[in-house]
Amino acid sequence: LDLQFLFAMGMAAAECQFHVLAVDDSLVDRKLIERLLQKSSCQVTTVDSGYKALEFLGLRQGTESNDPTALSPSPQVRKSLLLSFEKEVNLIITDYCMPGMTGYDLLKKLKESPAFKNIPVVIMSSENVPARISRCLEEGAEEFFLKPVRLADLNKLKPHMMKTKLKNQKLEEIETPSDDENGTVAAVEPEIKDSVEMEIKMLPLQSETEPKRVLLQVVQQEEQMLSNNKRKSMEEGLSTDRPRPRLEGIATAV
Amino acid sequence: MDAHVAQLQMQYRNYILSLYQQGFLDDQFTELKSLQDDGTPDFVAEVLSLFFDDCVKLVGNMARALDQTGTVDFSQVGANVHQLKGSSSSVGAKRVKGLCINFKELCEAKNYEGCVRCLQQVDIEYKTLKAKLQDMFNLEKQIVQAGGIVPQVDIN
């Protein structure tokens, strides 16, 4: 098992800060998927269309640009997306049937984009149409869920989300963590230790476990510092439905 | 244990069971309840509120679409039925969902009278469900006010 996988597992176990972008034109379903994802300890941003999803990701330049459907983010946007926690998206879950841009259209656009083709995409649909399902999977969707989506369905998503966490961890290594708030760190530490230790037991570790444990402690500290930065910048909410929950609630929710 | 609270709790239990037995609700409603916790005590009420708002809006759209003297755009009606079917399925509104399935077929068959009748049934059904659930929420409130806890009702 490589160390980077352990990094990701440590981070995931520590705070489970996966950020999911949920796309659905139905307000009822947005509310539902938001709750399901929160219950799975994920950060959630909901939007009501594929267009808004692309805008959120920075793929669509908006009205200022000459080409409103431009698929490549500007270098500046790209840099901020890669290094900023705020828009790091670990998974996109989208409804299939939506007016204008369907979930399939959105999937295609994402897979055609160099910046975002590696974000796992999951399609949801109220209709069980085998041709539709296979078309989506062929286009690169990781999973296809029949609605109504259940909590059990979301458990299948963790491995997919970890892949992007892993990838982004590589890129974040160049960013140095800033000041650590001692108070918060002390309070959170015991909790993180326990859950990371649990993860260690679950992994089929190779022979030298000692160096890996040391590495994981480093990850814990770094994660706490990074998450403190995140706490400061977290208030930007893009959910169209209601104010986003405060981080304290999310951090302690299981 | 307070006899009054116990009585209210039993009343509540029986009421919930009857809603399932009479087909008003299905296991998706159970799922909704399971997603509610101490941190989100109003989740079910909020989702249902959005659902009933949807009903008002969609039924209105369909009534207007069917009220066209001349050619009725059945695909328009069908699109609204599809949405209603979706949200009723998401909240566990079993009867409403069932009606939507019939309604969809009627739209595809371009059966005008059938559609009008079905729409009337949908209208009655969602309003009936709304009243039933309101009674359920009132019972919950009474239990809490009497100092009790709202029981988890095991449908099986």
Side-chain angles (χ1 to χ4, degrees), chain A residues 98-210:
Chain A
M98 294 188 292
M101 191 188 291
T102 65
Y104 178 75
D105 297 330
L106 175 59
L107 169 67
K108 277 196 76 174
K109 281 204 166 12
L110 290 166
K111 293 306 174 191
E112 284 163 12
S113 153
F116 298 103
K117 61 184 172 148
N118 292 320
I119 301 183
V121 180
V122 171
I123 311 278
M124 307 179 276
S125 177
S126 54
E127 285 158 330
N128 190 350
V129 180
R132 176 184 291 182
I133 297 173
S134 49
R135 199 188 332 139
C136 287
L137 295 174
E138 275 161 33
E139 194 59 40
E142 304 289 342
E143 301 272 358
F144 190 102
F145 292 151
L146 278 178
K147 284 178 159 184
V149 176
R150 297 281 176 96
L151 208 52
D153 295 323
L154 296 191
N155 290 335
K156 295 184 201 164
L157 300 185
K158 293 273 160 78
H160 297 303
M161 293 193 276
M162 296 234 233
K163 280 188 244 161
T164 41
K165 259 298 195 214
L166 197 92
K167 206 166 183 279
N168 293 338
Q169 172 65 14
K170 261 190 198 164
L171 298 159
E172 278 149 19
E173 262 153 33
I174 65 175
E175 176 158 15
T176 49
S178 67
D179 60 320
D180 53 35
E181 293 160 87
N182 291 323
T184 345
V185 166
V188 174
E189 200 171 43
E191 210 184 325
I192 292 176
K193 246 196 197 127
D194 287 345
S195 49
V196 166
E197 239 132 58
M198 199 172 72
E199 286 300 323
I200 294 172
K201 289 189 190 97
M202 282 164 58
L203 297 174
L205 291 175
Q206 288 158 8
S207 46
E208 307 110 52
T209 55
E210 283 312 310

Side-chain angles (χ1 to χ4, degrees), chain B residues 90-116:
Chain B
S90 293
V91 302
K94 191 175 180 182
R95 283 199 190 178
V96 177
K97 176 183 162 190
L99 282 173
C100 288
I101 293 172
N102 297 341
F103 205 157
K104 217 172 180 190
E105 289 168 16
L106 292 165
C107 286
E108 279 156 21
K110 298 200 202 288
N111 180 341
Y112 181 76
E113 268 102 33
C115 282
V116 170

Side-chain angles (χ1 to χ4, degrees), chain A residues 25-29 31-32 35-36 39 97 126-127 147-152 242, chain B residues 27-28 31-32 34-35 37 40 43 46-47 50-51 54 82 87 89-91 104:
Chain A
D25 61 319
S26 159
L27 186 47
V28 169
D29 288 349
K31 180 98 184 166
L32 185 55
R35 184 74 200 117
L36 284 166
K39 199 89 178 172
C97 276
S126 54
E127 285 158 330
K147 284 178 159 184
V149 176
R150 297 281 176 96
L151 208 52
R242 62 178 186 149
Chain B
D27 58 0
Q28 177 60 16
E31 172 85 0
L32 275 193
S34 75
L35 293 174
D37 55 30
T40 54
F43 172 68
E46 283 168 7
V47 180
L50 292 174
F51 168 65
D54 241 14
H82 176 79
S87 42
S89 168
S90 293
V91 302
K104 217 172 180 190

